Amino acid sequence: MDYWVRFMNRFPTVEALAKATEDEVLLLWQGLGYYSRARNLHHAAKQIVQLGHFPNTHETISTLKGVGTYTAAAIASIAFNIPVAVVDGNVYRVLARFFGIDTPINSTEGKKQFAALAQSLLPQHEPARYNEAIMDFGALQCLPVKGETSKLNNKTGKANKCNHVSDLAPAFCNSCPLNSQCVAFAQGLVRSLPVKTKLVTPKKRQMSYLYIRYGGDVAIRKRPAGDIWQGLWEPLLFQDEVIEDNKGEKKHSKRAKNSVKQFPSSQLLTYLDLLAEGQLDNPSAPSSPSKRGIQNATSPTIIGNFAFKHVLTHRIIKAQFVVMETVVKPSLPAEYIWVAENSLSHYAIPRLFELFLEKLNEPIKT
Ligand code: SF4
């Protein structure tokens, strides 16, 4: 809540948000969840300012960045009384059970079928009240059931049925004003509906960082577009690879074995060689015979190695941060810059980097 108040105090109007830089918006968004939402909100604010007012048709509301099908329908119906049906998780559950529909709600066919059904039920004169009522009915009466079946029966291709309807129907159905017309209640399907197809297995990724300290500064870069944490800052990334894809298949198993389980990894050793040779700005440069065994007063020193497992919606990230101090200023790859270590709080950073800094700055237990 405090984070939200801080954000709203800084950007009290859509104009204030539209005028801000992305760096400023991302920095103030820290603690408020997915950064893509902050970027979308910022972009949408600019769209609204350019338009001169908040869009007031379903089509124009849908063009706002970050506004998907559900949000557009909710804004259009509740704010402008436009007759567009909302379909959120609660609505899917109510419709699937009441009509006994076992089309998976996360399939393309299911989405179309439920959207059309919801739209056909919507009273044109009172879309806001109806939409709010059906969402509330799902949230308060037609509740999810713990452990409810989410797969179709392999043999029949239909949702699994319970044999003893009255025994197995959840208690909330007994007090439901719609139970006399509800297909799922009559047929013992309440615990089996709605149906979802198997969810995608998260992708596993190994990301290894070199946190280089030089004269009170550290090397960071802003993450590029087209990947997670776009626009956020991170230390020098020396290894980034998918070690298991969405289908659960192992990738680069040999390379991953060498680099993930062994420390220092081969990628890190290559980086350290390049650093010693002043070639860090050109990581593809051929390395001369390794100088790793030769330590002298100017050799970089590794002073810490931290490992984390960070779980995101569709990814599991195994991360490693190697902390290194050097008295010789390394030349960095082009996109990296030096910033004062004590000014890192002025940069928007991913939660993973934040976790590392918390660990790094933890007081040493005696
Ligand atoms: S009877 Fe049960 S499953 Fe059917 S609508 Fe009511 S609460 Fe939902």
Side-chain angles (χ1 to χ4, degrees):
M1 190 64 183
D2 289 347
Y3 294 115
W4 182 244
V5 170
R6 185 186 64 177
F7 189 85
M8 290 307 295
N9 283 341
R10 171 62 189 85
F11 306 119
T13 62
V14 71
E15 288 81 9
L17 182 58
K19 257 193 237 162
T21 64
E22 186 175 279
D23 275 345
E24 202 181 355
V25 173
L26 293 177
L27 184 61
L28 277 154
W29 192 261
Q30 277 184 138
L32 287 171
Y34 298 111
Y35 283 97
S36 55
R37 290 183 185 159
R39 272 191 296 271
N40 289 342
L41 199 62
H42 188 212
H43 190 105
K46 290 181 184 175
Q47 288 177 285
I48 293 165
V49 168
Q50 199 172 22
L51 193 65
H53 60 88
F54 193 90
N56 53 12
T57 66
H58 182 230
E59 291 70 31
T60 50
I61 293 167
S62 303
T63 63
L64 290 177
K65 182 99 170 160
V67 172
T69 314
Y70 161 74
T71 314
I75 298 172
S77 61
I78 296 168
F80 299 102
N81 222 30
I82 297 168
V84 192
V86 294
V87 189
D88 71 349
N90 291 316
V91 176
Y92 274 122
R93 190 166 56 255
V94 172
L95 296 182
R97 289 174 176 170
F98 187 80
F99 291 98
I101 302 169
D102 62 10
T103 313
I105 58 172
N106 54 346
S107 64
T108 309
E109 186 197 350
K111 283 178 190 167
K112 274 191 202 155
Q113 185 180 0
F114 281 94
L117 176 60
Q119 191 61 34
S120 72
L121 297 168
L122 185 77
Q124 300 292 301
H125 58 290
E126 274 194 306
R129 277 184 74 192
Y130 173 82
N131 278 340
E132 289 190 284
I134 191 166
M135 286 191 284
D136 282 350
F137 186 77
L140 301 171
Q141 173 66 49
C142 192
L143 301 168
V145 183
K146 207 173 171 199
E148 69 193 353
T149 311
S150 61
K151 289 182 205 152
L152 296 179
N153 184 300
N154 283 341
K155 285 187 188 153
T156 62
K158 300 276 174 194
N160 290 316
K161 261 187 196 181
C162 296
N163 292 326
H164 309 288
V165 177
S166 54
D167 289 348
L168 295 172
F172 56 76
C173 287
N174 296 326
S175 60
C176 175
L178 301 182
N179 62 14
S180 62
Q181 298 155 276
C182 174
V183 174
F185 184 66
Q187 297 185 3
L189 290 168
V190 179
R191 292 177 190 277
S192 309
L193 294 174
V195 169
K196 266 190 187 174
T197 50
K198 201 168 173 258
L199 297 172
V200 176
T201 315
K203 194 196 274 187
K204 287 189 186 144
R205 186 164 168 178
Q206 171 74 35
M207 298 178 83
S208 302
Y209 290 99
L210 193 54
Y211 184 78
I212 312 177
R213 280 175 167 158
Y214 165 74
D217 287 351
V218 289
I220 58 170
R221 72 155 180 177
K222 191 188 264 198
R223 282 188 62 84
D227 197 0
I228 50 171
W229 307 324
Q230 179 191 324
L232 304 184
W233 295 81
E234 66 179 359
L236 203 151
L237 183 64
F238 68 88
Q239 181 200 7
D240 181 7
E241 59 192 23
V242 173
I243 52 176
E244 197 172 307
D245 67 15
N246 288 340
K247 295 177 192 113
E249 286 174 13
K250 299 260 187 289
K251 296 273 182 191
H252 312 298
S253 54
K254 197 165 174 217
R255 204 170 148 210
K257 191 175 170 208
N258 287 337
S259 56
V260 176
K261 293 187 181 162
Q262 289 179 6
F263 179 78
S265 68
S266 54
Q267 282 95 337
L268 175 59
L269 293 175
T270 305
Y271 252 85
L272 293 178
D273 277 351
L274 293 167
L275 183 68
E277 292 160 8
Q279 293 180 0
L280 197 57
D281 55 339
N282 183 12
S284 60
S287 178
S288 61
S290 175
K291 296 183 176 73
R292 288 193 299 275
I294 306 167
Q295 284 287 316
N296 58 42
T298 59
S299 297
T301 317
I302 292 178
I303 59 165
N305 177 30
F306 300 84
F308 298 88
K309 186 176 170 190
H310 191 56
V311 181
L312 303 172
T313 317
H314 299 299
R315 286 179 189 82
I316 295 174
I317 295 173
K318 293 175 94 178
Q320 180 189 27
F321 288 83
V322 178
V323 183
M324 196 190 78
E325 279 181 357
T326 175
V327 290
V328 178
K329 189 172 190 177
S331 49
L332 301 170
E335 69 271 33
Y336 289 87
I337 57 167
W338 292 106
V339 300
E341 189 172 13
N342 61 12
S343 73
L344 277 178
S345 58
H346 301 311
Y347 293 83
I349 59 176
R351 178 68 186 138
L352 176 64
F353 189 13
E354 213 175 286
L355 288 172
F356 156 70
L357 291 175
E358 282 167 16
K359 201 82 188 155
L360 182 67
N361 296 318
E362 248 177 26
I364 298 165
K365 288 182 189 131
T366 50

